[in-house]
Amino acid sequence: MKAKVRILDVYSGRYSVFINEEEARKAKLHPDDLVRIESGKKVAYGSLVVSNLVKPGEVGISRDMLDLHHLSEGESVLVLPGGQPESVRYIKKKMHGEKLRKVEIEAIVRDIVDRKLRDIEISSFVTSLEINGLDMDEIAALTIAMAETGDMLDIDRKPIMDVHSIGGVPGNKTNILVVPIVAAAGLTIPKTSSRAITSAAGTADVVEVFANVSFELDEIKRIVEKVGACLVWGGALNLAPADDITIKSERALSVDPTGLMLASIMSKKYAMGSQYVLIDIPTGKGVKVETVDQARALSRDFIELGKRLGQYVEVAITYGGQPIGHTVGPALEAREALSALQTGKGPGSLIEKATGLAGILLEMGGVAPTGMGKKMAREILESGKAWEKMKEIIEAQGGNPEVKPGEIPIGDKTYTFTASTSGYVTGIDNRGITGIAKAAGAPEDKGAGVELYVKVGEKVKEGDPLFTIHAESEARLDQAIVQARRTEPIRIEGMVLQRIGNI
C-alpha cells in the first residue's frame, strides 16, 4: 500500500509503524506483523500497530524509528509485509540445541541491527542461548559479527588498555577509580560501560550523575586523545549495536547467558581497538560466578576469545561475597567513588580492589615492574594525581570538575533498618541488597539505593543501624521496605550457632 508519512510524537521502544484499522484489513496486516517501508533506495523495518491515530492513506512513524531512519513528514512511501527473515529459522535451530554456523550467526546479528527481528524473536534468541549455550567457535563468530555491524574506533594514542567487570556484586563502582589511576600513569584507557542489566547501577549509570556519558564516536576520539581516558556509555555509540538491543531482552528476562556475555563484553573491546584487556570476575555467593572453579573456567574462555580477536587478555578473580564499599545505587556510589578519589581514602574493599586492578593494568602496560603495580596505583591515588586526572575527564565530558561529592543529591525519602539482636554479621545477601535498591527505584531514579553501615565479621549490638534505604518517592520507599523485610539481607548470629544436647 502507498501512504504518506506522519511522524507521531510517540517513543514506543519497539520501532513501531502505525496504520489505520481499515488499511490494515485491506492489506491483510495484523498487529505486531513485521512491515517493510520503502522510499526510493531507503528501506526500514518496524513492528505494526493498528490504530486509528492515523487516517487512511497515512503511515505513522514512532520517534524511535526516526532515530534509525530519516523519514520526512508527508513523504510518500510504500508499506509492505516484511515477511519472516531467514534468521528466524536459525534461532529455532539454536532453540533445538544445534550449533550455528558463522554465516547463520552473522545473519541473526545483521537482522537484529536492521530491526528485521522483532522483540519476541530477539527474546527467543536470548532464551535459547541461556538454555543451550554457545561453544567458542560460535562465541568468536558472534563477537566479530556484533563488532563489525557497528562502528570501529581508531585512537592514535597507543597502547590501548581496557578493563571490564562482568558485574553481579552490588556497589561495584571500582572502575571509576581504576580509569583515572591508569590514565594518570600515562596509559590510554577509553572505557565504555553498559547501564545496569541485572544490577542496581552500571558504571555508566553512576558516571552520568556527575558527567555526560552519551557521545558520538568522533567526540570520544577527541576526549581520549586529549586526556587519555573516558568513562562513557557504550549504548550511545554505534559500537556493537546488536549488543544494546539484546540487553533489553536480557534485562526483561533477568538473564545474562554466558556466551552472549562474553560476546557482549569483547565485541565492545574489539570495536574500541583495545589491545590489552583486564577482565574482573567477582566471585562469591549471590553473584554471577559463585565458585573459584567456575571463575577459572570463565577466565579461560575470555583468554581464548581474546587470542582469536588478537587481544592480550588477563583475568582477575576478585572477592564478591558482599557489596563493595558502603553504597549501592547511582548517586550514592558516585559520592563514594569521587570522595575516594578526592581524599585518596575510602572503604577498604573499594580501595583494595581498585588499586589491585589498576596495578595489573599498569604492569600489563609496561609502566610498572611485575609485582609493583598495586603499590604504584596506591601512590597515584593517595598523591591526588588520580583525582586531578578524573577532573580532566569530568571536564572533557561536560561535567563540573569542581564537583563536591557530598553535594550530589540523593533520595530524601529514607528508612533505616536496625539490628534486632546483638551478635556478629555472618552474611550479607548480594541479591537481596540489589533487590532492595532496585525496588527503591535504582538505577532509573539516580538518588535511590542502599547505604550500608556494617560488613561481614563486624560486631553489632541490638538497635545498631544496619542499612538505610534511599528513595525519591514514598511509594518506592514503601516497596523497598517490603522487599527488605521479605529478604532480610543481613544475617546476624552469635558465635555459638547451635546447641545440640546429649541424646
Side-chain angles (χ1 to χ4, degrees):
M1 58 172 272
K2 289 184 178 179
K4 290 189 180 295
V5 169
R6 181 177 161 201
I7 296 170
L8 300 176
D9 193 18
V10 172
Y11 195 94
S12 68
R14 299 177 63 240
Y15 301 89
S16 299
V17 175
F18 296 74
I19 67 171
N20 184 274
E21 187 177 352
E22 180 184 332
E23 299 274 30
R25 190 166 50 252
K26 286 180 184 176
K28 292 185 168 50
L29 291 171
H30 305 93
D32 288 332
D33 277 357
L34 181 70
V35 292
R36 173 186 171 102
I37 297 176
E38 294 182 1
S39 176
K41 293 184 178 179
K42 291 187 296 187
V43 178
Y45 288 88
S47 185
L48 182 66
V49 177
V50 177
S51 170
N52 290 327
L53 278 175
V54 292
K55 299 173 185 176
E58 293 181 334
V59 57
I61 302 297
S62 65
R63 289 284 174 187
D64 41 334
M65 278 283 286
L66 289 181
D67 291 344
L68 288 181
H69 307 287
H70 299 292
L71 295 166
S72 304
E73 183 80 25
E75 182 179 352
S76 292
V77 296
L78 199 58
V79 182
L80 301 165
Q84 187 178 79
E86 180 70 9
S87 58
V88 172
R89 189 162 64 84
Y90 307 146
I91 291 171
K92 289 178 181 176
K93 182 178 175 181
K94 177 48 71 174
M95 289 169 72
H96 294 143
E98 298 177 49
K99 179 173 177 173
L100 296 177
R101 294 181 295 130
K102 182 174 180 286
V103 292
E104 294 171 336
I105 289 171
E106 288 170 346
I108 292 171
V109 172
R110 192 166 52 248
D111 285 351
I112 288 173
V113 173
D114 291 343
R115 296 306 307 193
K116 289 184 184 179
L117 291 175
R118 296 164 297 171
D119 290 349
I120 192 167
E121 291 154 344
I122 296 169
S123 294
S124 296
F125 179 56
V126 170
T127 303
S128 74
L129 301 187
E130 173 73 9
I131 295 169
N132 295 315
L134 296 165
D135 69 15
M136 188 51 67
D137 291 336
E138 292 174 303
I139 294 169
L142 180 60
T143 304
I144 293 170
M146 288 172 77
E148 292 184 346
T149 48
D151 294 331
M152 309 282 277
L153 183 63
D154 182 23
I155 295 171
D156 293 335
R157 296 174 55 145
K158 301 289 190 295
I160 307 291
M161 316 300 292
D162 213 334
V163 60
H164 188 93
S165 173
I166 71 165
V169 57
N172 196 10
K173 74 284 291 177
T174 316
N175 287 334
I176 297 172
L177 278 66
V178 171
V179 169
I181 290 172
V182 171
L187 294 171
T188 303
I189 181 163
K191 178 78 181 85
T192 63
S193 304
S194 64
R195 298 192 185 279
I197 300 175
T198 57
S199 70
T203 301
D205 297 309
V206 178
V207 176
E208 192 174 43
V209 171
F210 54 84
N212 297 333
V213 295
S214 299
F215 295 94
E216 300 290 336
L217 208 59
D218 59 344
E219 293 176 306
I220 289 177
K221 181 178 170 70
R222 177 183 55 78
I223 290 168
V224 174
E225 289 179 352
K226 180 182 178 183
V227 302
C230 66
L231 281 156
V232 300
W233 175 43
L237 305 167
N238 194 36
L239 294 174
D243 176 44
D244 300 299
I245 297 169
T246 56
I247 278 175
K248 291 179 182 177
S249 292
E250 292 178 77
R251 186 180 292 118
L253 296 165
S254 289
V255 298
D256 195 7
T258 301
L260 187 55
M261 177 188 68
L262 284 157
S264 168
I265 293 168
M266 296 301 285
S267 63
K268 293 283 175 69
K269 308 309 171 195
Y270 188 69
M272 288 294 285
S274 303
Q275 298 164 295
Y276 298 90
V277 180
L278 175 62
I279 302 295
D280 163 31
I281 303 182
T283 306
K285 188 175 180 181
V287 296
K288 292 178 182 177
V289 181
E290 295 206 341
T291 71
V292 172
D293 285 345
Q294 290 174 323
R296 285 178 179 147
L298 187 57
S299 300
R300 289 191 289 271
D301 288 341
F302 271 112
I303 292 166
E304 173 60 26
L305 182 55
K307 286 178 183 176
R308 295 190 185 210
L309 301 174
Q311 297 171 314
Y312 178 77
V313 176
E314 287 194 21
V315 177
I317 298 173
T318 58
Y319 172 68
Q322 61 179 326
I324 295 168
H326 295 116
T327 58
V328 179
L332 288 162
E333 292 187 43
R335 279 187 169 196
E336 190 169 57
L338 292 180
S339 178
L341 282 167
Q342 195 174 62
T343 64
K345 300 173 183 176
S349 56
L350 176 59
I351 302 300
E352 180 72 16
K353 182 170 181 178
T355 55
L357 294 177
I360 295 172
L361 284 164
L362 297 179
E363 292 177 22
M364 289 170 69
V367 296
T370 302
M372 296 298 290
K374 185 177 178 181
K375 182 174 184 291
M376 181 179 179
R378 187 175 281 273
E379 288 172 355
I380 291 171
L381 177 64
E382 292 178 348
S383 69
K385 291 178 182 176
W387 173 237
E388 290 305 313
K389 178 57 68 175
M390 188 59 169
K391 291 203 296 186
E392 290 180 34
I393 295 169
I394 293 171
E395 186 170 26
Q397 292 185 202
N400 175 13
E402 302 306 321
V403 59
K404 293 179 173 56
E407 294 179 1
I408 291 173
I410 56 176
D412 61 352
K413 308 296 187 292
T414 64
Y415 186 90
T416 299
F417 279 81
T418 58
S420 59
T421 185
S422 299
Y424 290 83
V425 178
T426 58
I428 298 179
D429 181 358
N430 280 326
R431 290 195 182 100
I433 293 294
T434 296
I436 294 164
K438 290 175 75 173
E444 290 82 6
D445 296 345
K446 298 294 185 189
V450 174
E451 189 171 5
L452 293 157
Y453 304 120
V454 296
K455 285 298 190 79
V456 173
E458 293 182 5
K459 186 176 182 180
V460 296
K461 296 177 183 177
E462 182 180 345
D464 282 353
L466 300 177
F467 62 94
T468 294
I469 301 170
H470 290 263
E472 295 182 2
S473 72
E474 293 289 353
R476 281 290 200 172
L477 180 63
D478 290 343
Q479 288 178 21
I481 291 169
V482 170
Q483 179 79 3
R485 285 177 175 153
R486 185 165 60 237
T487 56
E488 295 186 1
I490 297 180
R491 188 168 64 249
I492 299 170
E493 298 172 308
M495 294 309 291
V496 176
L497 301 182
Q498 288 185 359
R499 177 180 176 180
I500 300 173
N502 191 346
I503 299 173

